[in-house]
Amino acid sequence: MFQLKDRKGIDFLLSPTHEEEITSLAGTAPSNTNDLPARKYRDEPRPRQGLLRTREFLMKDLYTFDASPQEAQQTYDKVCMTYKSFFDELRIPYLVARADSGSIGGHLSHEYHFPLANGEDTVISCGSCSYATNEELAQGECGTISFKRSTDAWTPQKSWFGVSKDRLQLVEAIVPQATGSSEHPSTANNPTEVNPYLMRALYPDLDLSIEDPLRAFVDHWSNHRSSAASQAVKGLPSLSCIYDYRVSQPFMDTNPIRDKRFPLIQKVSEIVGWSKSISPRCIDLARFRDGDRCPSCGKHSIKTQQAVELGHTFYLGDRYSNPLDATFAAAQHAVVPKSPATTAPATKDPATEGRALAQGRRPFQMGCHGIGISRMIAAVADSLSDRQGLLWPRVMAPYEAVIIATPEHKAAAEEVWDVLSFPKEGSVEAVLDDRDRGLGWKMKDADLIGFPIVIILGRHYGPQELCEVSIRRLGTKENVPVTNLKEYIVSRLDKL
């Protein structure tokens, strides 16, 4: 988080999200159902890194408050449709994927992704059905598909380790060293990547933030066993093993640690005494690959692609309003003022919920939604560009067209601007580059900035008044008479 000190040296920080404050604000604002649904927008900068995660992060947030789950669902659907319309207007490719609500919580969420080769998210989609979800949610779902245990001959195997947050449990996943898809033979020798999200779904207490789980497990128990604090340790260390379905039954031997490169193997054996539990699950422990089986339709049409998240919608229900006592009187339809709270528990408070219902009050049904404005601009800039410069979509460009002319056609350039700008209805947003620079410099600068359309009044203008119209994104360059220029440009803008 971004931290700072005031002039007195007191520590402050910028909160990454404000569900608790918004809920408390709504709960202290006297209102009635005529004021529902309620909306709250904000722009918030927060730290990021690199071009896509810049230090300044401008977020357009929306918080919604409704009186019933049905109305809240309708509001959620409206927001989703609005977001889709917004991205449609940008004329850029995007994916809508079901998502894990994570620490924000709630019952339902969707992410809006822009496909990008260097994106930090992975979106899983199916070419045969409408299945689309982010990797974290998809990887957990693949654990619901059961496979038949392989009977193939032994193949080289490797181990993946995870450790629980309390360091009581060490988990080993045994998978083939290489796996591939029958639909994509070129992947036959790809190294197997264990699916960490599935492992966390199978073992919810796993700490995936640990870089070396095996070392963390050994160090924890070595320290406890060599100190008086060992008496305070609750529980006994355990080792749990799970095998990928491609590991055939005859080769699931009794040795739980298969990777002999680990020098810690002897210490692990001393800690757990080689006692272990083997999961009977027969599932795919590898991460999704192109051509894998779809959890929804069962066809081998899975496609994975990197993307950057541009927006997110959450249906929160009463996840925050109930514990923070942000309620409205059901009979009089008036919001009951309450003292603001500072934190929202992860679970409902039965006492608070019961008291609210007994007094005829109901908690708000909430939603929170956001679009990363600065990230969206950075993602489009990173994707829609070439060696010459940027290629902005029409609705994001500073102007729809730029007019560049040689000195002898300066007056004619002003007339061309008038032709495009008037009448206002159906006009083209154009800018006239009248800077004291040469024609070549202006043309290169126009490409660098990324104007959708560049209009040049140069050697072809002459008596026929032909304007050279260059549209890099469409790969076209044509000479167009001034009399037809506006009509020509408007028809091309529809494609940009």
Side-chain angles (χ1 to χ4, degrees), residues 125-129 183 291-294 297 299-303:
S125 60
C126 178
S128 300
C129 67
E183 298 292 320
D292 275 355
R293 181 180 177 185
C294 174
C297 69
K299 296 182 179 180
H300 291 268
S301 304
I302 283 294
K303 180 182 179 181

Side-chain angles (χ1 to χ4, degrees), residues 361-382:
R361 303 196 311 270
R362 288 186 294 179
F364 291 115
Q365 295 294 314
M366 292 179 56
C368 70
H369 321 276
I371 290 181
I373 302 299
S374 56
R375 181 183 293 183
M376 177 181 64
I377 294 174
V380 172
D382 190 82

